[in-house]
């Protein structure tokens, strides 16, 4: 059955209902996450944070990875950062990068409220500059990197993330399907162009093995790319 046929049979309302069912059944009531969402809404942040089941996926990937050091590019209100930081051991570290001072302030409060202030650090500034600073500082490699920021810059973020990881690290890039537009080589959308360049970069990079997965749900039709650093 083609995507067009599926979309004709399944509505966004049904996708929302399925995500709600999984979240209620497998995640349940979570005061810290609910407070983080409420605080982001109250501050007027855009409604672009990952869905609860997507956040849980990030959490499980970090746990499976045994991650001790996590890097996030794009903090927003800290919702995904909470999921990721919860997977860390007591001596673990999450560094999350945010360009918007208002977003960073909300995220810091949310992380503190969730009891994660000692393991999670929000760094303010353009992500490219923050990534370059981390590289210049010679920081210990990260075990997992989650990239969820401005899409035109995805190729640069990925290339810099590769320098900040080690063999065996995971790099996850969100929002790569662009409602299906990623398959259009003639798209003039800068987010699509950046995402296609990202995949060209990954395809030509022998140090990673990667795949991309389409998803539907509360966040509409989208998907993510998962890459493992090989060496």
């Amino acid at each position: 059955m083609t995507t067009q046929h599926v979309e004709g049979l399944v509505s966004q309302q049904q996708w929302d209902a399925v995500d709600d069912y999984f979240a209620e059944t497998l995640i349940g009531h979570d005061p810290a996450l609910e407070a983080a969402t409420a605080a982001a809404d109250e501050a007027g942040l855009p409604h672009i944070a990952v869905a609860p089941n997507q956040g849980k996926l990030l959490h499980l990937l970090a746990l499976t990875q045994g991650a001790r050091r996590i890097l996030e590019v794009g903090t927003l209100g800290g919702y995904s950062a909470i999921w990721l930081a919860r997977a860390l051991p007591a001596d673990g570290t999450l560094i999350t990068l945010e360009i918007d001072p208002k977003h960073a302030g909300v995220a810091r409060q949310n992380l503190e409220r969730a009891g994660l202030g000692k393991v999670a650090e929000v760094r303010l500034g353009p992500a490219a500059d923050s990534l370059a600073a981390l590289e210049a500082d010679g920081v210990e490699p990260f075990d997992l990197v989650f990239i969820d920021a401005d899409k035109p810059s995805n190729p640069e973020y990925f290339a810099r993330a590769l320098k900040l990881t080690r063999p065996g690290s995971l790099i996850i890039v969100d929002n790569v399907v662009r409602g299906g537009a990623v398959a259009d080589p003639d798209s003039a959308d800068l987010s699509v162009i950046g995402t296609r360049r990202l995949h060209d970069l990954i395809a030509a990079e022998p140090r990673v093995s990667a795949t991309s997965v389409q998803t539907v749900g509360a966040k509409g039709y989208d998907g993510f790319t998962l890459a493992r650093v090989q060496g």
Side-chain angles (χ1 to χ4, degrees), residues 174-192:
D174 202 11
N175 306 129
V176 300
V177 172
R178 316 305 307 164
V182 70
D184 180 6
D186 299 318
S187 175
D189 185 320
L190 294 180
S191 292
V192 174

Side-chain angles (χ1 to χ4, degrees), residues 30-41:
D30 191 309
L33 291 170
E34 291 163 9
T37 299
D41 289 344

